[in-house]
Amino acid sequence: MLPLSIKDDEYKPAKFNLLAKISGWFKSILSDTTSRNLFFFLCLNLSFAFVELSYGIWSNSLGLISDSFHMFFDCTALLAGLAASVISRWRSNDSFSYGYVRAEVLAGFVNGLFLIFTAFFIFSEGVERALEPPHVNHDRLLPVSVAGLLVNLVGIFVFQHGGHGHSHGHGHSHSLFNGSTGHGHSHGGHGHESKHGDGHNGHSHGDGHGHSHGGHGHSHDDPHCHGETTPGVFLHIVADTLGSVGVIISAILMQKYDLMIADPICSMCISILIGVSVVPLLRESIGILMQRTPPSLDNALPECYQRVQQLQGVYNLQEPHFWTLCTDVYIGTLKLLIAPDADGKWILSQTHNIFTQAGIRQLYVQIEVAAM
Amino acid sequence: MFRNDSEKTQLVTEKGTMYSITMESVSTDGIMQKEKDSNIKHCHDNSQATEDREREKQLARKRLYVVSAVCLVFMIGEILGGYFAGSLAVMTDAAHLLVDFASFIISLVSLWLSSRPATRTLSYGWHRAEILGALLSVVTIWLVTGVLVYLAVQRLISDNYEIEGTIMLITSGCAVLANIIMAFTLHQSGHGHSHGGLSSGHGHSHSTNDKSKHGHSHKSSHSHSNGNQENHSHGNGDVEQHNGVDGQQQKSAGSRPQANASVRAAFVHVVGDLLQSISVLVSAIIIFFKPEYKIADPICTFLFSMFVLGTTITIMRDILLVLMEGTPAGVKHGEVRDRLLAVKGVKSVHSLHIWALTMNQTVLSAHVAIDDIVDAQPVLREMTQTCFSNYNFHSVTLQLEQQADQKPGCSLCEDPKM
């Protein structure tokens, strides 16, 4: 038997494959605007963090080092988002019959978690410092926070349009997030440092997670999701910017008016803001992960059920389950009990039509015929 | 379920005419039920999943209660001891135990949450809460490890720390002991045996295997109370209640029951803590004998932090598999497809999706094209039967279509590529 295809993958040396894979990832990242932006922003943040780390080690400033750790932490969030964008474009296979599109939702969730933890840490540090105000060293404070602010502004400018290059279809989820970014917040970098007696902060925690990905143009059967997590990136960056601003303000207050209490108060306010603004993001991603019925369909579904039950021959609609795979991709299953003399084919196609109109394209209808 | 009912019917009829009214009503019920059974096979007749899940959850809950109690006791002891001895090391360890305790609480809460009934918005119920709780737990492990590494780096750089060898030794000894107790509770509940009715076989490395660190051949606690056995007598079986098992036919090649996610997450926490305690013990011993080697402390921390991160890998993989709607570990997509295709009258199967609600609750949905001349209902029944008898699915939804309606070029009908 002649082989119909020759798989010479196994004969390639492993190293070569790795390079090919990595270059494949790069291509994938650079192909899409948002992920490209995210990638460059990540690089910017990473380099800033490295600079801070090396400067801190060289000048033996524990505060700078701890701050660079914080930046690295944020870079991981950005990295997670980037990874999610690459991963969600992978083709589906036997282990993941729906493909990898959930990666974005996961990245959004993990990012939300990180933000909550960060807010919590900053709050606790603020409280600590309020109780025992340490001496804050101002020297390096201002320049670093200004630099951080600049980096954040770059981020805002870049991600300003939410990066929804192509995602126009799902106005709702975006507007929810963009609306809530109004009051952004940032985990003010002043998180730690001062604690170690070295002031310095304001680093941009760029972050972000996930971002809208390609979506269209595929010819295979994977569902396309549109920019589920770009709002999250924007949120994060605005948060950071405001944090930097807050730090600068408190630094000025401390220098001019010697108001030491400004720092911890700033931290606490900022952490509360972070917490509050992350809540919608978390709610949405948790809802998706819990297989919740899509909130946008909350009104449409009962109507659909009614219409289906009014079809001729349908006795009962049982066990409807509808859930979101990723933004705007809804999947549903249900069981219909029909009369023995009803036209199953017609009922099936009508049901599909009804639900397609509601936006559910993947539907599984199990039709059972009632006994006489 | 209806087996019990018929038993009841027997008992009542034996009692004679005194219960004539009840007897009648019961027997009519019995008759009706039998009729129902022969004409409409209820779609949930074959599903063992719910009962299994109940058993699994109860077991998990018991274990978590015990472990939380142990943890609380040790933690309070350490806090008191640390306070009176004025030792920072002890307090840090108590903090670590606190985090562990928090994760047990998270596990318990998520278990409780997942028992809540289904609502209209959460039509499948709250099962996923368990997985999210486990994810939260694992993320906390990472965070704690991160903080420890950070502190260790701080120590390395600033080099101004004092270590009291004796206190450290005692504390870490206690901590190791506490962790071992907890690990045992979560991992093993007693007897490993092969249940009757199933051919022996054994020791497959469980799909959720985490061989390395602690020499068991399978990790974590699995309460398998499920029916889909295919030979497993695990060496350390926490094979508790096998009541349901004995009557079960052997399910071939099917899914192996996986460990309950909450308990696994708690177990991973305990293992992580055990490793950290061992690292403290090791460095305490080094420092006790050679006080100048106090650099052993941060170095041990680094080393063992790596191990801890390693232990979280398997559970993370499984959590991610569930959250990404992937095919669960014990079920093979191709195999299920082949079984469905083997049913008489089935021409093709497409859009087959198998995913998990939580560790042992699997959901299947598919579009099936059948022969135009064949009657749909028996085929449907047979396919559902095949699914349930070979795997332990939570629910199965099959959409039957006519072969004539299939579009050969439809890209959505293609199988997922390998």
Side-chain angles (χ1 to χ4, degrees):
Chain A
M1 280 217 310
L2 287 173
L4 292 172
S5 69
I6 301 176
K7 281 193 156 185
D8 49 7
D9 291 314
E10 29 247 70
Y11 303 109
K12 284 202 194 123
K15 186 168 171 233
F16 186 80
N17 245 350
L18 185 63
L19 271 177
K21 237 193 250 181
I22 294 184
S23 67
W25 291 344
F26 269 116
K27 252 184 261 162
S28 167
I29 294 178
L30 296 173
S31 62
D32 172 49
T33 338
T34 320
S35 54
R36 193 171 42 217
N37 288 338
L38 208 59
F39 177 65
F40 288 133
F41 197 62
L42 172 67
C43 290
L44 184 64
N45 259 311
L46 213 57
S47 39
F48 197 65
F50 268 118
V51 163
E52 227 181 350
L53 182 68
S54 37
Y55 187 59
I57 291 183
W58 175 72
S59 67
N60 207 4
S61 152
L62 204 54
L64 271 178
I65 294 178
S66 75
D67 200 50
S68 61
F69 262 121
H70 202 145
M71 278 202 79
F72 280 122
F73 186 68
D74 286 335
C75 288
T76 17
L78 257 181
L79 191 66
L82 203 58
S85 79
V86 170
I87 289 176
S88 38
R89 273 177 254 171
W90 287 352
R91 305 178 67 112
S92 60
N93 55 29
D94 263 8
S95 310
F96 291 93
S97 50
Y98 283 116
Y100 293 84
V101 285
R102 271 278 174 97
E104 285 191 337
V105 179
L106 269 179
F109 176 66
V110 169
N111 252 306
L113 273 187
F114 277 3
L115 273 176
I116 294 248
F117 280 131
T118 316
F120 178 70
F121 278 136
I122 294 177
F123 191 81
S124 63
E125 281 196 13
V127 167
E128 241 181 84
R129 270 186 285 137
L131 293 177
E132 274 190 38
H135 173 68
V136 178
N137 187 344
H138 304 299
D139 301 350
R140 298 194 198 97
L141 195 66
L142 264 181
V144 181
S145 43
V146 170
L149 180 67
L150 286 176
V151 176
N152 276 326
L153 284 176
V154 167
I156 287 195
F157 179 67
V158 160
F159 290 102
Q160 186 186 12
H161 303 292
H164 12 275
H166 37 248
S167 34
H168 292 294
H170 43 287
H172 47 256
S173 53
H174 274 306
S175 46
L176 172 68
F177 287 127
N178 282 332
S180 69
T181 58
H183 49 262
H185 37 246
S186 47
H187 358 199
H190 48 249
H192 356 246
E193 328 66 34
S194 334
K195 188 179 184 184
H196 315 287
D198 271 3
H200 78 155
N201 21 51
H203 40 257
S204 48
H205 314 237
D207 344 81
H209 12 201
H211 31 242
S212 43
H213 67 114
H216 33 239
H218 298 285
S219 55
H220 59 84
D221 45 335
D222 289 340
H224 319 315
C225 299
H226 306 286
E228 136 88 7
T229 38
T230 314
V233 177
F234 195 63
L235 192 86
H236 230 129
I237 297 178
V238 171
D240 279 349
T241 319
L242 283 182
S244 302
V245 168
V247 164
I248 291 177
I249 290 179
S250 73
I252 293 177
L253 276 179
M254 284 194 283
Q255 270 181 346
K256 289 259 175 77
Y257 304 108
D258 216 24
L259 210 61
M260 286 300 173
I261 198 78
D263 197 31
I265 290 189
C266 235
S267 319
M268 291 195 267
C269 287
I270 287 173
S271 64
I272 292 180
L273 278 177
I274 297 179
V276 163
S277 68
V278 162
V279 167
L281 172 66
L282 270 186
R283 236 200 229 153
E284 179 170 322
S285 24
I286 288 184
I288 295 182
L289 291 176
M290 292 277 284
Q291 307 291 99
R292 187 193 187 281
T293 316
S296 51
L297 291 180
D298 267 341
N299 297 323
L301 278 182
E303 218 181 276
C304 292
Y305 296 159
Q306 254 194 337
R307 284 173 69 186
V308 169
Q309 280 177 319
Q310 281 164 359
L311 288 176
Q312 191 176 35
V314 174
Y315 282 164
N316 202 3
L317 184 152
Q318 295 163 339
E319 292 186 40
H321 293 294
F322 289 88
W323 47 281
T324 319
L325 182 61
C326 54
T327 338
D328 287 343
V329 177
Y330 305 124
I331 301 180
T333 65
L334 50 95
K335 295 192 163 81
L336 287 180
L337 193 62
I338 65 175
D341 58 347
D343 184 0
K345 250 171 78 163
W346 178 79
I347 292 180
L348 185 63
S349 67
Q350 285 299 89
T351 315
H352 270 264
N353 279 339
I354 292 174
F355 281 101
T356 311
Q357 282 168 28
I360 298 156
R361 245 156 248 111
Q362 295 198 38
L363 185 66
Y364 299 84
V365 180
Q366 178 163 315
I367 293 191
E368 290 173 357
V369 178
M372 227 27 256
Chain B
M1 232 164 26
F2 78 93
R3 246 175 282 148
N4 286 339
D5 283 345
S6 60
E7 276 176 16
K8 264 196 271 188
T9 326
Q10 284 290 41
L11 278 173
V12 175
T13 41
E14 274 177 64
K15 294 260 164 113
T17 49
M18 215 182 354
Y19 300 91
S20 55
I21 303 177
T22 358
M23 199 171 71
E24 263 185 68
S25 46
V26 171
S27 51
T28 10
D29 279 355
I31 293 175
M32 265 181 53
Q33 188 147 31
K34 286 205 191 86
E35 266 182 2
K36 250 183 14 186
D37 281 316
S38 54
N39 287 337
I40 305 180
K41 278 266 171 163
H42 183 58
C43 51
H44 292 139
D45 261 349
N46 296 314
S47 174
Q48 281 277 341
T50 342
E51 289 124 18
D52 294 339
R53 176 122 176 96
E54 281 313 300
R55 257 178 275 150
E56 181 188 313
K57 277 201 286 210
Q58 270 196 4
L59 187 60
R61 218 171 284 147
K62 257 190 279 182
R63 288 218 189 117
L64 283 171
Y65 282 147
V66 169
V67 148
S68 314
V70 171
C71 189
L72 198 60
V73 164
F74 269 101
M75 183 175 76
I76 292 180
E78 273 198 354
I79 290 180
L80 287 176
Y83 180 67
F84 286 125
S87 156
L88 187 62
V90 180
M91 295 304 243
T92 330
D93 208 51
H96 209 147
L97 273 181
L98 181 67
V99 174
D100 266 4
F101 185 67
S103 98
F104 296 151
I105 298 298
I106 291 178
S107 295
L108 274 170
V109 167
S110 58
L111 260 184
W112 168 76
L113 265 182
S114 58
S115 323
R116 295 185 66 170
T119 64
R120 203 156 281 172
T121 38
L122 287 173
S123 53
Y124 281 115
W126 292 74
H127 295 280
R128 278 283 171 89
E130 207 177 64
I131 303 285
L132 288 180
L135 181 63
L136 193 60
S137 279
V138 174
V139 169
T140 10
I141 294 182
W142 288 353
L143 274 176
V144 167
T145 313
V147 166
L148 283 178
V149 166
Y150 169 68
L151 288 176
V153 167
Q154 221 179 26
R155 284 197 159 185
L156 265 183
I157 293 183
S158 70
D159 207 32
N160 64 341
Y161 53 102
E162 266 312 308
I163 300 199
E164 294 190 39
T166 343
I167 293 186
M168 209 165 124
L169 207 54
I170 298 177
T171 320
S172 51
C174 288
V176 168
L177 184 67
N179 284 318
I180 290 183
I181 295 178
M182 292 196 282
F184 261 114
T185 319
L186 287 176
H187 177 92
Q188 180 184 140
S189 76
H191 36 296
H193 52 257
S194 42
H195 351 244
L198 298 175
S199 48
S200 47
H202 32 223
H204 336 249
S205 37
H206 214 228
S207 51
T208 60
N209 203 331
D210 175 22
K211 307 186 169 125
S212 49
K213 332 314 171 191
H214 34 266
H216 309 277
S217 62
H218 55 199
K219 168 189 203 45
S220 36
S221 24
H222 16 261
S223 27
H224 347 271
S225 18
N226 329 60
N228 41 348
Q229 315 340 12
E230 48 144 346
N231 336 338
H232 39 236
S233 48
H234 294 267
N236 341 5
D238 354 18
V239 214
E240 283 279 90
Q241 294 128 328
H242 290 299
N243 334 340
V245 169
D246 299 322
Q248 288 279 270
Q249 309 85 339
Q250 191 173 21
K251 299 206 174 172
S252 48
S255 30
R256 268 163 286 163
Q258 291 180 289
N260 176 276
S262 296
V263 180
R264 264 180 86 188
F267 183 73
V268 168
H269 248 272
V270 168
V271 166
D273 202 16
L274 180 64
L275 286 172
Q276 298 283 6
S277 303
I278 290 181
S279 102
V280 172
L281 192 63
V282 164
S283 54
I285 291 178
I286 295 178
I287 292 175
F288 188 70
F289 290 114
K290 294 247 172 139
E292 65 269 18
Y293 283 162
K294 63 176 185 169
I295 202 171
D297 188 42
I299 292 190
C300 272
T301 312
F302 282 141
L303 204 60
F304 281 87
S305 297
M306 294 299 123
F307 286 154
V308 168
L309 290 181
T311 56
T312 57
I313 290 180
T314 17
I315 188 174
M316 261 320 253
R317 206 182 48 204
D318 286 337
I319 290 177
L320 283 180
L321 196 62
V322 172
L323 290 177
M324 297 271 287
E325 310 290 312
T327 315
V331 178
K332 290 205 199 47
H333 192 252
E335 197 185 299
V336 175
R337 200 167 164 270
D338 290 338
R339 271 190 219 273
L340 285 177
L341 281 173
V343 172
K344 203 170 71 132
V346 170
K347 281 293 168 214
S348 67
V349 169
H350 58 261
S351 291
L352 174 65
H353 292 293
I354 310 173
W355 50 279
L357 278 175
T358 178
M359 286 309 176
N360 292 315
Q361 310 291 306
T362 320
V363 174
L364 180 149
S365 54
H367 289 170
V368 177
I370 58 173
D371 246 338
D372 298 330
I373 44 175
V374 176
D375 189 19
Q377 290 303 298
V379 178
L380 176 63
R381 234 173 283 148
E382 200 184 323
M383 280 196 290
T384 318
Q385 182 75 28
T386 318
C387 287
F388 278 119
S389 55
N390 288 309
Y391 307 93
N392 201 12
F393 285 136
H394 174 264
S395 63
V396 168
T397 311
L398 296 165
Q399 175 171 307
L400 264 51
E401 304 164 345
Q402 309 281 25
Q403 175 62 15
D405 290 336
Q406 304 307 304
K407 263 196 284 195
C410 173
S411 63
L412 292 169
C413 293
E414 279 170 20
D415 274 337
K417 308 282 183 285
M418 253 327 287

